[in-house]
Amino acid sequence: MDIFTPLQIKHVLFKNRIVMAPMVRFGFPTKDGEMQDKLILEYTKRADKEIGLLISQVISVSPTDNLSKDVTTSGYAGAYSEQHIPYLRKIAESCHKNGSRFFAQLGLAGYAYGDIHSKDINKLTTNELAFICNQFINAARICKKAGLDGIELHGAHTFFLNMVSSSYSNRRKDRYGGDLTDRLTLVKEIIDGIKEFSANNFLISYRMGWCDSFSEDIETAIALEQIGIDILHVSHGIPANRKINTPPDYQYSDIVYTGCYLKKYVSIPVITVGEIKNLERGNALIIQRACDFVAYGRPFLADESFVTHSIGNMSYKSCFECHKCKWFTNGENCPAQLLALSPISENILLKKSHKKL
Ligand SMILES: Cc1cc2nc3c(=O)[nH]c(=O)nc-3n(C[C@H](O)[C@H](O)[C@H](O)COP(=O)(O)O)c2cc1C
Ligand code: SF4
């Protein structure tokens, strides 16, 4: 088994273990929550590039960020109206034509633990949270209607669902607060609602943010599996500044370490992410069965053909971690994109292993 080995989950077949991680490109404003052609192209031009699963940038389940009258989703595209079906369908069809799968990542703007501009989840009434729950379910329904292969709930990076599930930020006294099981009530209600129509050809991934200890990480991952998610995607969470002591000779990031650690406690497929950087390193994780999928973010910004260049020409434009993309206004500003291709000898091995398949 290696990074190019297909994987079937329920009725959805992934042609390989390579995932394009969700990445917002702020520079292409949306009108009424619809993606404009330029942004759609950011996906469709990557859809034929040997990617098993493309996950969209976070997409808003609501036209407003806080149940207020202001129509603002911090520049997110939306999946809260039937009018969003065409743009989602366009990307999904483009992926399917090339044997790739497409999930939309769903989230709610306006909430980020530790950010002074964040709304407070504790100020929402029980009815308002139940309303938001229905917005997530409705967004998933729209994605299914558009022909997507699934959705990913954004429960990481300190954002809305991460805040609701964390003991740091959730001090609610109603059914949405309390111990871990209670704090995951909202996630459970969302997933139960989606399962009413999802069937076996529409999957639910959950991007889980790490907690403050491995024991809580394990408890959370197991609870999410029991709630019924199909894929566990592990990233950073609350506390954002958690320090993890990885073994001294460990070659990957602390996020990858956490994902691979949690893989041992669940039976559903696990996606790891975070500075995996090249296909060789991702391939090693899959060969060791440390995880089931490897996700790459910046490598796909630096070189939209990151995978095909890696396996075909033995070269690609590698991200040199300037961190400029954190506040991108235009993905084309990535300086790596301007570089000429340079040979990367380590990918010769990968080319051989890909040819075998
Ligand atoms: C420009 C940019 C936008 C991002 N937007 C999102 C997002 O919408 N949702 C999300 O969960 N993560 C987002 N991320 C995080 C990535 O999905 C990924 O976890 C991170 O870049 C680490 O992977 P990498 O080292 O391969 O880049 C973003 C990252 C970048 C660089
Ligand atoms: S080179 Fe810089 S801007 Fe481009 S993907 Fe890497 S970190 Fe982001």
Side-chain angles (χ1 to χ4, degrees):
M1 183 173 80
D2 66 18
I3 199 167
F4 297 107
T5 306
L7 178 64
Q8 173 117 20
I9 305 176
K10 294 185 171 168
H11 291 174
V12 182
L13 179 67
F14 297 86
K15 68 177 171 184
N16 63 39
R17 311 304 182 92
I18 301 163
V19 176
M20 186 177 89
M23 279 179 295
V24 169
R25 276 78 141 183
F26 292 100
F28 309 119
T30 58
K31 185 172 162 290
D32 301 329
E34 288 170 73
M35 282 192 190
Q36 308 290 292
D37 286 347
K38 197 171 179 191
L39 183 49
I40 294 174
L41 188 63
E42 286 290 306
Y43 291 92
T44 54
K45 72 185 178 186
R46 287 170 173 83
D48 63 348
K49 303 294 196 301
E50 290 287 337
I51 307 173
L53 167 65
L54 286 86
I55 305 179
S56 78
Q57 61 199 106
V58 65
I59 285 181
S60 180
V61 301
S62 166
T64 64
D65 64 5
N66 59 354
L67 302 172
S68 71
K69 292 196 177 63
D70 307 332
V71 177
T72 163
T73 56
S74 305
Y76 291 2
Y80 47 82
S81 145
E82 299 271 319
Q83 87 186 70
H84 299 134
I85 290 178
Y87 90 76
L88 289 164
R89 180 172 286 142
K90 206 166 176 178
I91 300 173
E93 283 176 351
S94 170
C95 290
H96 293 164
K97 214 163 41 192
N98 298 289
S100 297
R101 299 295 173 189
F102 179 51
F103 287 8
Q105 187 186 61
L106 302 180
L108 181 68
Y111 296 83
Y113 181 67
D115 183 330
I116 50 164
H117 302 295
S118 173
K119 309 288 171 200
D120 184 353
I121 57 150
N122 300 299
K123 294 202 172 131
L124 292 166
T125 65
T126 305
N127 282 346
E128 283 171 336
L129 268 187
F131 181 77
I132 291 171
C133 172
N134 284 330
Q135 288 183 312
F136 272 94
I137 297 167
N138 182 50
R141 190 179 282 110
I142 285 167
C143 292
K144 176 135 175 35
K145 266 193 181 173
L148 274 64
D149 304 288
I151 54 100
E152 174 167 278
L153 297 175
H154 194 350
H157 303 175
T158 77
F159 297 136
F160 179 72
L161 288 177
N162 199 177
M163 283 176 79
V164 177
S165 66
S166 171
S167 57
Y168 281 70
S169 38
N170 184 338
R171 296 182 305 282
R172 298 183 65 88
K173 303 282 179 242
D174 62 358
R175 72 174 191 274
Y176 294 114
D179 64 12
L180 177 66
T181 308
D182 296 330
R183 295 195 306 274
L184 287 175
T185 300
L186 179 65
V187 172
K188 182 173 178 344
E189 289 180 2
I190 293 170
I191 289 172
D192 286 349
I194 297 173
K195 285 201 175 277
E196 281 181 22
F197 58 84
S198 60
N200 283 333
N201 60 356
F202 188 78
L203 304 179
I204 303 172
S205 169
Y206 189 89
R207 196 171 219 198
M208 170 190 151
W210 65 30
C211 313
D212 69 357
S213 67
F214 282 123
S215 58
E216 207 186 327
D217 292 336
I218 294 166
E219 233 189 301
T220 306
I222 292 173
L224 288 167
E225 178 171 24
Q226 282 167 355
I227 285 172
I229 63 169
D230 299 301
I231 301 174
L232 180 71
H233 187 173
V234 182
S235 193
H236 57 90
I238 301 173
N241 59 355
R242 176 174 169 191
K243 294 276 173 286
I244 291 179
N245 290 325
T246 54
D249 56 346
Y250 193 67
Q251 304 288 322
Y252 295 88
S253 67
D254 47 3
I255 307 174
V256 170
Y257 185 81
T258 309
C260 296
Y261 190 88
L262 293 182
K263 157 88 182 146
K264 297 178 203 143
Y265 294 88
V266 293
S267 52
I268 47 174
V270 171
I271 306 176
T272 55
V273 70
E275 295 172 43
I276 299 176
K277 295 184 182 174
N278 62 44
L279 285 197
E280 280 298 316
R281 278 164 51 83
N283 196 33
L285 289 169
I286 300 290
I287 289 173
Q288 292 160 24
R289 291 175 162 69
C291 59
D292 303 279
F293 291 97
V294 279
Y296 300 89
R298 289 163 293 172
F300 280 112
L301 281 186
D303 187 343
E304 70 193 41
S305 304
F306 158 63
V307 181
T308 44
H309 281 160
S310 297
I311 58 183
N313 308 335
M314 296 170 288
S315 62
Y316 60 90
K317 301 173 197 177
S318 58
C319 160
F320 44 80
E321 293 172 40
C322 65
H323 296 296
K324 279 192 179 159
C325 52
K326 200 165 176 198
W327 305 115
F328 256 176
T329 51
N330 186 339
E332 290 156 3
N333 291 339
C334 166
Q337 293 181 13
L338 306 173
L339 293 177
L341 292 175
S342 56
I344 308 281
S345 57
E346 64 191 345
N347 284 317
I348 293 170
L349 279 176
L350 194 63
K351 189 183 175 198
K352 283 184 188 152
S353 99
H354 185 239
K355 270 188 170 170
K356 264 195 316 202
L357 297 165

mmCIF file of all heavy atoms in Angstrom, residues 32-34 60-63 78-88 135 138-139 141-143 145-146:
data_model
loop_
_atom_site.group_PDB
_atom_site.id
_atom_site.type_symbol
_atom_site.label_atom_id
_atom_site.label_comp_id
_atom_site.label_asym_id
_atom_site.label_seq_id
_atom_site.Cartn_x
_atom_site.Cartn_y
_atom_site.Cartn_z
ATOM 1 N N ASP A 32 -23.333 37.777 -3.145
ATOM 2 C CA ASP A 32 -24.401 36.945 -2.589
ATOM 3 C C ASP A 32 -23.926 35.534 -2.250
ATOM 4 O O ASP A 32 -24.658 34.560 -2.404
ATOM 5 C CB ASP A 32 -25.581 36.843 -3.572
ATOM 6 C CG ASP A 32 -26.153 38.211 -3.897
ATOM 7 O OD1 ASP A 32 -26.098 39.090 -3.011
ATOM 8 O OD2 ASP A 32 -26.620 38.398 -5.025
ATOM 9 N N GLY A 33 -22.685 35.432 -1.852
ATOM 10 C CA GLY A 33 -22.173 34.120 -1.439
ATOM 11 C C GLY A 33 -21.802 33.190 -2.581
ATOM 12 O O GLY A 33 -21.447 32.036 -2.345
ATOM 13 N N GLU A 34 -21.891 33.668 -3.818
ATOM 14 C CA GLU A 34 -21.519 32.788 -4.933
ATOM 15 C C GLU A 34 -20.052 32.969 -5.260
ATOM 16 O O GLU A 34 -19.542 34.083 -5.206
ATOM 17 C CB GLU A 34 -22.324 33.138 -6.185
ATOM 18 C CG GLU A 34 -23.771 32.745 -6.111
ATOM 19 C CD GLU A 34 -24.551 33.346 -7.265
ATOM 20 O OE1 GLU A 34 -24.390 32.866 -8.391
ATOM 21 O OE2 GLU A 34 -25.295 34.311 -7.027
ATOM 22 N N SER A 60 -19.578 29.385 4.136
ATOM 23 C CA SER A 60 -20.482 29.771 5.214
ATOM 24 C C SER A 60 -21.855 29.113 5.078
ATOM 25 O O SER A 60 -22.425 29.040 3.982
ATOM 26 C CB SER A 60 -20.652 31.294 5.226
ATOM 27 O OG SER A 60 -21.528 31.634 6.272
ATOM 28 N N VAL A 61 -22.388 28.689 6.220
ATOM 29 C CA VAL A 61 -23.726 28.093 6.234
ATOM 30 C C VAL A 61 -24.802 29.157 6.402
ATOM 31 O O VAL A 61 -25.991 28.843 6.420
ATOM 32 C CB VAL A 61 -23.858 27.051 7.378
ATOM 33 C CG1 VAL A 61 -22.829 25.945 7.201
ATOM 34 C CG2 VAL A 61 -23.721 27.697 8.759
ATOM 35 N N SER A 62 -24.361 30.412 6.539
ATOM 36 C CA SER A 62 -25.307 31.481 6.856
ATOM 37 C C SER A 62 -24.949 32.770 6.118
ATOM 38 O O SER A 62 -23.768 33.065 5.934
ATOM 39 C CB SER A 62 -25.242 31.741 8.372
ATOM 40 O OG SER A 62 -25.871 32.949 8.685
ATOM 41 N N PRO A 63 -25.960 33.564 5.713
ATOM 42 C CA PRO A 63 -25.642 34.842 5.061
ATOM 43 C C PRO A 63 -25.120 35.873 6.055
ATOM 44 O O PRO A 63 -24.579 36.898 5.666
ATOM 45 C CB PRO A 63 -26.980 35.286 4.477
ATOM 46 C CG PRO A 63 -28.014 34.577 5.277
ATOM 47 C CD PRO A 63 -27.397 33.298 5.769
ATOM 48 N N GLY A 78 -20.790 30.969 0.052
ATOM 49 C CA GLY A 78 -21.868 30.429 0.864
ATOM 50 C C GLY A 78 -22.445 29.137 0.325
ATOM 51 O O GLY A 78 -22.262 28.771 -0.848
ATOM 52 N N ALA A 79 -23.136 28.436 1.240
ATOM 53 C CA ALA A 79 -23.939 27.263 0.852
ATOM 54 C C ALA A 79 -25.216 27.344 1.674
ATOM 55 O O ALA A 79 -25.547 26.442 2.408
ATOM 56 C CB ALA A 79 -23.183 25.974 1.128
ATOM 57 N N TYR A 80 -25.891 28.485 1.568
ATOM 58 C CA TYR A 80 -27.111 28.674 2.364
ATOM 59 C C TYR A 80 -28.328 28.942 1.503
ATOM 60 O O TYR A 80 -29.402 29.226 2.014
ATOM 61 C CB TYR A 80 -26.932 29.800 3.391
ATOM 62 C CG TYR A 80 -26.310 31.071 2.834
ATOM 63 C CD1 TYR A 80 -27.082 32.009 2.163
ATOM 64 C CD2 TYR A 80 -24.958 31.315 2.989
ATOM 65 C CE1 TYR A 80 -26.516 33.159 1.655
ATOM 66 C CE2 TYR A 80 -24.382 32.478 2.489
ATOM 67 C CZ TYR A 80 -25.158 33.387 1.826
ATOM 68 O OH TYR A 80 -24.586 34.518 1.309
ATOM 69 N N SER A 81 -28.150 28.848 0.185
ATOM 70 C CA SER A 81 -29.275 29.127 -0.697
ATOM 71 C C SER A 81 -29.161 28.241 -1.937
ATOM 72 O O SER A 81 -28.057 27.843 -2.330
ATOM 73 C CB SER A 81 -29.234 30.617 -1.075
ATOM 74 O OG SER A 81 -29.666 30.809 -2.383
ATOM 75 N N GLU A 82 -30.330 27.959 -2.531
ATOM 76 C CA GLU A 82 -30.335 27.132 -3.752
ATOM 77 C C GLU A 82 -29.499 27.791 -4.853
ATOM 78 O O GLU A 82 -29.004 27.120 -5.747
ATOM 79 C CB GLU A 82 -31.774 26.947 -4.250
ATOM 80 C CG GLU A 82 -32.689 26.238 -3.267
ATOM 81 C CD GLU A 82 -32.702 24.723 -3.405
ATOM 82 O OE1 GLU A 82 -32.706 24.245 -4.536
ATOM 83 O OE2 GLU A 82 -32.712 24.042 -2.352
ATOM 84 N N GLN A 83 -29.343 29.106 -4.768
ATOM 85 C CA GLN A 83 -28.576 29.779 -5.819
ATOM 86 C C GLN A 83 -27.078 29.430 -5.755
ATOM 87 O O GLN A 83 -26.317 29.744 -6.657
ATOM 88 C CB GLN A 83 -28.781 31.305 -5.762
ATOM 89 C CG GLN A 83 -27.863 32.070 -4.846
ATOM 90 C CD GLN A 83 -28.238 33.538 -4.749
ATOM 91 O OE1 GLN A 83 -29.258 33.892 -4.165
ATOM 92 N NE2 GLN A 83 -27.407 34.402 -5.300
ATOM 93 N N HIS A 84 -26.668 28.761 -4.681
ATOM 94 C CA HIS A 84 -25.263 28.350 -4.589
ATOM 95 C C HIS A 84 -25.010 26.991 -5.244
ATOM 96 O O HIS A 84 -23.849 26.573 -5.394
ATOM 97 C CB HIS A 84 -24.821 28.302 -3.115
ATOM 98 C CG HIS A 84 -24.919 29.641 -2.451
ATOM 99 N ND1 HIS A 84 -25.469 29.827 -1.206
ATOM 100 C CD2 HIS A 84 -24.564 30.870 -2.893
ATOM 101 C CE1 HIS A 84 -25.440 31.102 -0.898
ATOM 102 N NE2 HIS A 84 -24.903 31.767 -1.910
ATOM 103 N N ILE A 85 -26.088 26.320 -5.620
ATOM 104 C CA ILE A 85 -25.911 24.977 -6.196
ATOM 105 C C ILE A 85 -25.080 25.019 -7.491
ATOM 106 O O ILE A 85 -24.163 24.211 -7.658
ATOM 107 C CB ILE A 85 -27.285 24.294 -6.414
ATOM 108 C CG1 ILE A 85 -27.881 23.956 -5.035
ATOM 109 C CG2 ILE A 85 -27.167 23.034 -7.269
ATOM 110 C CD1 ILE A 85 -29.257 23.332 -5.066
ATOM 111 N N PRO A 86 -25.317 25.972 -8.417
ATOM 112 C CA PRO A 86 -24.565 25.929 -9.679
ATOM 113 C C PRO A 86 -23.041 26.018 -9.502
ATOM 114 O O PRO A 86 -22.309 25.259 -10.143
ATOM 115 C CB PRO A 86 -25.103 27.140 -10.454
ATOM 116 C CG PRO A 86 -26.480 27.335 -9.905
ATOM 117 C CD PRO A 86 -26.406 26.961 -8.461
ATOM 118 N N TYR A 87 -22.567 26.902 -8.630
ATOM 119 C CA TYR A 87 -21.098 26.990 -8.527
ATOM 120 C C TYR A 87 -20.519 25.745 -7.873
ATOM 121 O O TYR A 87 -19.451 25.252 -8.270
ATOM 122 C CB TYR A 87 -20.651 28.291 -7.835
ATOM 123 C CG TYR A 87 -20.487 28.245 -6.325
ATOM 124 C CD1 TYR A 87 -19.379 27.633 -5.747
ATOM 125 C CD2 TYR A 87 -21.412 28.843 -5.466
ATOM 126 C CE1 TYR A 87 -19.212 27.600 -4.360
ATOM 127 C CE2 TYR A 87 -21.257 28.816 -4.096
ATOM 128 C CZ TYR A 87 -20.152 28.189 -3.549
ATOM 129 O OH TYR A 87 -19.989 28.156 -2.191
ATOM 130 N N LEU A 88 -21.256 25.207 -6.893
ATOM 131 C CA LEU A 88 -20.766 23.983 -6.247
ATOM 132 C C LEU A 88 -20.780 22.824 -7.240
ATOM 133 O O LEU A 88 -19.842 22.024 -7.314
ATOM 134 C CB LEU A 88 -21.648 23.645 -5.033
ATOM 135 C CG LEU A 88 -21.501 24.587 -3.830
ATOM 136 C CD1 LEU A 88 -22.666 24.430 -2.855
ATOM 137 C CD2 LEU A 88 -20.172 24.343 -3.110
ATOM 138 N N GLN A 135 -28.994 25.446 10.027
ATOM 139 C CA GLN A 135 -28.262 26.064 8.908
ATOM 140 C C GLN A 135 -27.165 25.121 8.400
ATOM 141 O O GLN A 135 -26.947 24.997 7.197
ATOM 142 C CB GLN A 135 -27.652 27.400 9.352
ATOM 143 C CG GLN A 135 -28.697 28.499 9.546
ATOM 144 C CD GLN A 135 -28.063 29.823 9.915
ATOM 145 O OE1 GLN A 135 -27.210 29.903 10.812
ATOM 146 N NE2 GLN A 135 -28.463 30.886 9.234
ATOM 147 N N ASN A 138 -28.918 22.361 6.480
ATOM 148 C CA ASN A 138 -29.393 22.878 5.194
ATOM 149 C C ASN A 138 -28.234 23.029 4.205
ATOM 150 O O ASN A 138 -28.358 22.695 3.026
ATOM 151 C CB ASN A 138 -30.089 24.233 5.421
ATOM 152 C CG ASN A 138 -30.646 24.795 4.145
ATOM 153 O OD1 ASN A 138 -31.354 24.105 3.415
ATOM 154 N ND2 ASN A 138 -30.297 26.039 3.821
ATOM 155 N N ALA A 139 -27.101 23.521 4.693
ATOM 156 C CA ALA A 139 -25.931 23.691 3.815
ATOM 157 C C ALA A 139 -25.482 22.338 3.272
ATOM 158 O O ALA A 139 -25.140 22.210 2.091
ATOM 159 C CB ALA A 139 -24.798 24.363 4.588
ATOM 160 N N ARG A 141 -27.371 19.776 2.812
ATOM 161 C CA ARG A 141 -28.387 19.353 1.840
ATOM 162 C C ARG A 141 -28.117 20.018 0.486
ATOM 163 O O ARG A 141 -28.207 19.376 -0.565
ATOM 164 C CB ARG A 141 -29.781 19.714 2.357
ATOM 165 C CG ARG A 141 -30.908 19.102 1.536
ATOM 166 C CD ARG A 141 -32.288 19.439 2.053
ATOM 167 N NE ARG A 141 -32.667 18.661 3.219
ATOM 168 C CZ ARG A 141 -32.797 19.156 4.449
ATOM 169 N NH1 ARG A 141 -32.604 20.440 4.673
ATOM 170 N NH2 ARG A 141 -33.138 18.377 5.449
ATOM 171 N N ILE A 142 -27.771 21.285 0.522
ATOM 172 C CA ILE A 142 -27.464 22.007 -0.725
ATOM 173 C C ILE A 142 -26.246 21.365 -1.412
ATOM 174 O O ILE A 142 -26.222 21.172 -2.627
ATOM 175 C CB ILE A 142 -27.232 23.507 -0.407
ATOM 176 C CG1 ILE A 142 -28.587 24.165 -0.146
ATOM 177 C CG2 ILE A 142 -26.469 24.228 -1.513
ATOM 178 C CD1 ILE A 142 -28.527 25.533 0.474
ATOM 179 N N CYS A 143 -25.247 20.996 -0.618
ATOM 180 C CA CYS A 143 -24.051 20.359 -1.188
ATOM 181 C C CYS A 143 -24.412 19.010 -1.812
ATOM 182 O O CYS A 143 -23.887 18.645 -2.862
ATOM 183 C CB CYS A 143 -22.985 20.156 -0.106
ATOM 184 S SG CYS A 143 -22.294 21.715 0.474
ATOM 185 N N LYS A 145 -27.342 18.177 -3.036
ATOM 186 C CA LYS A 145 -28.098 18.474 -4.266
ATOM 187 C C LYS A 145 -27.159 18.861 -5.409
ATOM 188 O O LYS A 145 -27.432 18.610 -6.573
ATOM 189 C CB LYS A 145 -29.041 19.655 -4.020
ATOM 190 C CG LYS A 145 -30.438 19.261 -3.619
ATOM 191 C CD LYS A 145 -31.320 20.492 -3.735
ATOM 192 C CE LYS A 145 -32.739 20.228 -3.323
ATOM 193 N NZ LYS A 145 -33.533 21.453 -3.274
ATOM 194 N N ALA A 146 -26.049 19.519 -5.055
ATOM 195 C CA ALA A 146 -25.094 19.963 -6.077
ATOM 196 C C ALA A 146 -24.203 18.820 -6.560
ATOM 197 O O ALA A 146 -23.365 19.012 -7.439
ATOM 198 C CB ALA A 146 -24.235 21.103 -5.517
#
